């Protein structure tokens, strides 16, 4: 970041008075440009027969690996609204958002994941620009070794474990270590 987003003047990278972290501070108008973590919203869409909707990524990163609909939260929307939007954008699926199944902190990339359960409304779904393939899967069909991100892997595990015992709750998890590539070795090792 080189220029002030308020006045266009050059910025300094320094600790503002009364703060404790370095920020981009404008040398002319004093505007401070804060950079904060990003929120990713997602949904595990469940069909009437209990299968969940999975998408094969058609975009980098993790091209060709599997996820449920999830993406960056937009300004002005709730996590549930974002989850609904992602299901439409990535899987052409209409989903009703239910409670959060997972809140996952990923400090090594400054991200927070808010993952909802969701109920599929209707039976329509299909591929999109972001998903080369969209499929309903039973638990035993989930490609655990080919899941795109550890956050997605853990959220699915929480979902199926809760469904198994018939009681859903919101699970919180802090991921401490950046997985080493390749992702699939990390996931199948179960040490993430
Ligand atoms: Zn300025």
């Amino acid at each position: 970041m080189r220029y002030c987003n308020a006045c266009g003047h050059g910025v300094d990278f320094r600790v503002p008075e009364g703060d404790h972290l370095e920020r981009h501070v404008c040398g002319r108008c004093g505007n401070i440009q804060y950079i904060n973590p990003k929120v990713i919203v997602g949904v595990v869409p469940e069909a009437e027969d209990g299968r969940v909707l999975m998408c094969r990524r058609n975009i980098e990163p993790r091209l060709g690996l599997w996820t449920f609909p999830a993406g960056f939260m937009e300004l002005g929307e709730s996590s549930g609204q974002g989850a609904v939007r992602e299901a439409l954008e990535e899987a052409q699926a209409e989903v009703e958002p239910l409670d959060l199944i997972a809140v996952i902190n990923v400090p090594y990339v400054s991200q927070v994941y808010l993952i909802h359960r969701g109920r599929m409304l209707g039976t329509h779904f299909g591929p999109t620009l972001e998903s080369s393939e969209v499929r309903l899967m039973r638990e035993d069909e989930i490609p655990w070794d080919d899941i795109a991100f550890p956050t997605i892997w853990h959220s699915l595990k929480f979902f199926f474990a809760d469904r198994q015992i018939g009681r859903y709750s919101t699970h919180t998890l802090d991921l401490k270590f950046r997985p080493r590539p390749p992702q699939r070795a990390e996931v199948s090792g179960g040490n993430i």
Side-chain angles (χ1 to χ4, degrees), residues 79-164:
S79 60
Q81 289 167 340
V84 168
R85 178 181 50 73
E86 290 293 341
L88 267 179
E89 288 176 2
E90 296 190 354
Q92 299 184 43
E94 275 192 69
V95 170
E96 176 194 1
L98 303 175
D99 288 343
L100 287 171
I101 190 83
V103 176
I104 305 179
N105 288 293
V106 196
Y108 54 80
V109 285
S110 294
Q111 294 178 349
V112 180
Y113 278 66
L114 301 177
I115 306 301
H116 287 263
R117 291 188 294 119
R119 183 165 65 209
M120 287 186 68
L121 304 171
T123 55
H124 180 75
F125 59 86
T128 61
L129 283 178
E130 296 175 58
S131 308
S132 59
E133 192 182 347
V134 177
R135 280 178 50 195
L136 285 171
M137 294 182 181
R138 296 190 312 266
E139 181 176 2
D140 63 6
E141 294 174 316
I142 300 287
W144 294 106
D145 290 345
D146 290 322
I147 298 297
F149 302 101
T151 47
I152 302 299
W153 190 93
H154 285 290
S155 299
L156 286 167
K157 289 290 183 184
F158 289 142
F159 172 80
F160 286 118
D162 279 8
R163 191 169 75 174
Q164 177 83 30

Side-chain angles (χ1 to χ4, degrees), residues 20-79:
H20 61 286
L21 292 175
E22 288 180 308
R23 317 278 186 190
H24 295 91
V25 182
C26 179
R28 180 157 66 191
C29 76
N31 179 54
I32 303 170
Q33 299 181 70
Y34 294 96
I35 302 175
N36 299 105
K38 290 223 186 298
V39 180
I40 285 99
V41 290
V43 62
V44 180
E46 188 179 19
E48 227 169 82
D49 64 4
R51 289 182 295 173
V52 300
L53 197 63
M54 296 290 290
C55 308
R56 189 193 276 272
R57 287 174 64 83
N58 195 35
I59 48 176
E60 292 288 358
R62 313 284 191 218
L63 176 74
L65 298 185
W66 290 86
T67 181
F68 49 74
F72 290 109
M73 193 175 184
E74 298 286 2
L75 297 178
E77 70 183 7
S78 68
S79 60

